[in-house]
Amino acid sequence: MRDKTQANSAAPGDGLVRAGGIVFIVGAVATLVTVAPLFLGTSPFPTYMFVLSMLMGVGFLMAGAGVLRSAAAGRRRARDGRSQLSEG
């Protein structure tokens, strides 16, 4: 019996993983820009750049939440499949 899930269908949590990756990259770029003055000997950036650097952690947490959501959906799908097998 073939699996009914299409190869290109989005699973639960995929959107969170993608969004988390984008937010992480924005935070990583902000971190590089914030740290650059330390090596270049110029004046530091304003405080909001340090706040943008925190997006790296936020993106990591978002992606982690997406992975956990995807794993929970997979467990739920497996449990439903197992219960259908035992019934029929």
Side-chain angles (χ1 to χ4, degrees), residues 30-47:
T31 300
L32 290 174
V33 169
T34 304
V35 173
L38 296 173
F39 297 112
L40 300 175
T42 60
S43 60
F45 283 100
T47 306

Side-chain angles (χ1 to χ4, degrees), residues 19-88:
I22 292 168
V23 171
F24 182 86
I25 290 171
V26 169
V29 169
T31 300
L32 290 174
V33 169
T34 304
V35 173
L38 296 173
F39 297 112
L40 300 175
T42 60
S43 60
F45 283 100
T47 306
Y48 71 87
M49 287 302 292
F50 292 99
V51 173
L52 284 177
S53 296
M54 297 299 155
L55 288 178
M56 222 164 116
V58 172
F60 187 77
L61 289 175
M62 286 173 63
V67 167
L68 291 176
R69 185 173 178 196
S70 179
R75 281 194 311 263
R76 200 174 311 116
R77 215 173 19 250
R79 185 176 49 236
D80 290 344
R82 212 176 19 226
S83 67
Q84 288 177 357
L85 286 176
S86 64
E87 290 174 2

